[in-house]
Amino acid sequence: MVDLNRVKTFVVVGAGTMGREIAQVALMSNLFERVILNDINENALITAKEYITKGLEKIESKGKLRQGLTSKSLINNLFTSKNLITSIKEADFIVEAIPEVMELKQDLFKELGEYAPEHAVLATNTSTMSISKIAEASNRPKQVIGMHFFTPIPLLRLIELIKGEKTSQEAFNIGIAIGQKLPALKGKRYIAKIEKESPGFIVNRLTIATSLLFNWILDMATDKGIPYEKIDNDFVSPPELGPLAKWDFLGLDVICDVMNYFVKEISPEFAPGKTLTNLLKEGNLGRKTGKGIYEWVEGKPNIKTSEKAGLFNSEQYYAIQLNEGCRLLEEGIVSGYKIIDDTMLAGMDMPGPFGAGKRNYEKWSLMLEELVKTTQINYFKPCEMMKSGAFLPLRK
Ligand code: NAD
């Protein structure tokens, strides 16, 4: 059993979209004497504190803070600082949430290795990158874990906990124990324990595989003048955000960073297409800049029709995910498919591919063969594990 009483100071480095929400759930757990939020940008710290205060007050007004806790008492435990060394000097547990750029993360982990207390566990919230490569820079790779959160963190249940090559079981166990104590409004936290790393872990590995299709669709729609919203409507009914609107929501720069990482690690076919590249060049990054694939007004995409293009269907989406899930089994990243489906449900709030894939894998394999012909993207080729149904007995 991990003794969490010894974890008194929880530090988050990077106070952007993710860091502020990680700090918020750390406060809500009421487990730590202090939560310290560090950023190189003073404005980010000010905005983050306002965001957390509002977030806590909203949850309090709905009566959903744990009994005996108030937003006021919790916010008193939050400290912000621009100075890294003073922020981490008493840290017991540190979560990094700075941009998804390997060199930046390695520079930071070098400093964490130099200045954090010897016993501190160092966690990275990277969405895709190698925990081992980040850990190497710290000079204490045993204490480094991947701790991948899903936004909105106060709501969604999933945390992916990932071991690097040298991560100790002790550091991993501390990560699991802390993760389980961070509250989520949708229910009990689900910690996906991933013992072997691979780009994108589980959720992003599966979703980025589907990005290959959307990247192709986006260029095809641009070339043929098909309204993007009709394509999104092939997959969902408004007001639910379709896959292209979700890209805008997350930020097209973030999507391109991740795709470019997959280019290096998995296949050159992941390269962002010309529509994405142009939008990025123009600085149209989606919701955060007010324009991306869509115009964004008051936090919502300007989608006017519920008409469909009638070119795609959500089965293709699940077929691609089933193929990628089977690749994870083939690569020994997971030993059974249940963890994949449970992880997708807890992180994306939608079913994983294996539930329906068990019945449809033969039909879906043929569908993927067709998709290879239509798109000329070879990565869609169904793997052996999927085609043969060899995954069927591998549940746990
Ligand atoms: P963001 O750009 O919103 O925030 C990053 C913050 O880090 C900024 O405030 C920036 O000033 C600060 N920063 C940069 N360098 C720093 C340094 N050396 N020290 C301290 N602060 C520094 O980014 P984000 O969306 O919060 O993403 C952070 C990490 O979380 C990335 O690795 C990303 O891949 C991952 N992630 C993002 C999401 C998402 O949906 N946005 C989901 C899961 C994981």
Side-chain angles (χ1 to χ4, degrees):
M1 270 288 277
V2 177
D3 180 10
L4 286 184
N5 290 324
R6 287 165 53 199
V7 185
K8 294 193 163 73
T9 303
F10 185 102
V11 180
V12 184
V13 182
T17 309
M18 298 304 284
R20 61 192 184 180
E21 291 187 359
I22 297 169
Q24 182 179 328
V25 290
L27 290 168
M28 283 166 67
S29 74
N30 202 30
L31 197 63
F32 313 105
E33 283 179 9
R34 60 195 80 78
V35 174
I36 301 175
L37 192 49
N38 169 273
D39 201 289
I40 46 172
N41 178 340
E42 184 70 39
N43 272 339
L45 290 171
I46 296 169
T47 316
K49 189 162 182 181
E50 284 167 4
Y51 178 90
I52 296 170
T53 308
K54 273 199 196 134
L56 290 174
E57 284 170 354
K58 193 167 165 202
I59 293 170
E60 184 176 37
S61 71
K62 290 185 179 161
K64 290 193 173 160
L65 279 185
R66 285 186 186 158
Q67 235 185 354
L69 300 179
T70 64
S71 56
K72 262 211 174 105
S73 66
L74 293 181
I75 207 78
N76 282 340
N77 293 341
L78 178 71
F79 300 86
T80 59
S81 168
K82 265 177 73 178
N83 185 312
L84 182 71
I85 298 178
T86 51
S87 297
I88 63 174
K89 72 172 192 290
E90 287 177 30
D92 301 301
F93 195 88
I94 303 176
V95 186
E96 164 274 313
I98 69 169
E100 189 77 351
V101 179
M102 182 56 89
E103 295 73 39
L104 288 182
K105 293 202 192 279
Q106 285 181 327
D107 287 350
L108 174 65
F109 272 74
K110 184 166 179 289
E111 287 196 272
L112 297 182
E114 275 170 29
Y115 300 110
E118 266 180 27
H119 69 277
V121 171
L122 316 178
T124 168
N125 181 45
T126 175
S127 341
T128 47
M129 297 190 316
S130 161
I131 310 303
S132 305
K133 279 195 193 146
I134 296 171
E136 223 169 69
S138 73
N139 237 341
R140 37 170 125 166
K142 279 190 196 156
Q143 281 153 267
V144 178
I145 57 173
M147 193 169 194
H148 183 211
F149 291 84
F150 291 78
T151 179
I153 302 170
L155 196 67
L156 292 177
R157 293 165 46 230
L158 178 64
I159 301 173
E160 290 180 328
L161 235 291
I162 310 111
K163 269 188 184 168
E165 280 161 24
K166 296 188 178 157
T167 306
S168 69
Q169 192 59 41
E170 193 193 351
F172 198 59
N173 288 345
I174 294 174
I176 295 169
I178 288 186
Q180 279 164 343
K181 296 269 183 188
L182 302 177
L185 296 179
K186 280 218 173 220
K188 196 169 177 283
R189 277 266 171 222
Y190 176 71
I191 312 291
K193 299 170 198 123
I194 307 176
E195 304 263 345
K196 191 175 164 192
E197 63 182 345
S198 86
F201 320 121
I202 294 179
V203 170
N204 281 341
R205 179 77 187 262
L206 266 61
T207 49
I208 305 296
T210 61
S211 295
L212 258 185
L213 177 62
F214 302 131
N215 190 31
W216 180 85
I217 288 179
L218 192 60
D219 280 350
M220 187 273 297
T222 306
D223 289 346
K224 297 196 170 163
I226 302 170
Y228 301 131
E229 54 211 281
K230 289 195 180 175
I231 302 272
D232 264 347
N233 295 341
D234 275 357
F235 293 93
V236 298
S237 303
E240 200 192 326
L241 295 188
L244 300 176
K246 269 192 191 149
W247 273 8
D248 261 2
F249 181 84
L250 290 171
L252 301 182
D253 51 340
V254 176
I255 300 297
C256 286
D257 280 348
V258 171
M259 288 174 81
N260 283 323
Y261 186 71
F262 271 54
V263 167
K264 274 193 271 166
E265 299 291 324
I266 297 194
S267 158
E269 290 185 318
F270 281 92
K274 60 177 192 270
T275 313
L276 266 182
T277 307
N278 285 340
L279 285 168
L280 222 63
K281 263 194 214 146
E282 293 157 8
N284 292 323
L285 307 182
R287 183 182 60 138
K288 59 186 164 192
T289 59
K291 188 174 180 330
I293 297 169
Y294 296 101
E295 304 272 349
W296 284 73
V297 184
E298 289 172 6
K300 294 207 169 80
N302 192 7
I303 292 179
K304 292 200 201 83
T305 176
S306 51
E307 251 177 66
K308 294 177 186 290
L311 297 172
F312 303 96
N313 63 68
S314 53
E315 267 193 295
Q316 286 161 327
Y317 180 86
Y318 284 108
I320 294 170
Q321 291 204 350
L322 181 69
N323 195 21
E324 207 58 25
C326 284
R327 287 190 176 120
L328 287 179
L329 285 164
E330 281 184 345
E331 291 166 22
I333 306 298
V334 292
S335 55
Y337 62 77
K338 187 177 182 308
I339 184 177
I340 299 180
D341 271 2
D342 289 350
T343 301
M344 293 305 287
L345 185 63
M348 300 298 285
D349 223 6
M350 57 198 291
F354 285 89
K358 281 185 290 186
R359 293 185 305 278
N360 291 306
Y361 68 92
E362 286 163 315
K363 179 175 120 194
W364 287 2
S365 294
L366 294 176
M367 192 187 269
L368 289 182
E369 305 274 14
E370 278 307 308
L371 208 55
V372 174
K373 286 190 204 144
T374 317
T375 61
Q376 301 293 311
I377 298 173
N378 286 316
Y379 195 75
F380 291 138
K381 250 180 143 2
C383 67
E384 261 324 295
M385 175 78 78
M386 174 172 172
K387 266 199 303 203
S388 63
F391 67 87
L392 288 169
L394 305 175
R395 185 165 180 273
K396 283 224 170 180

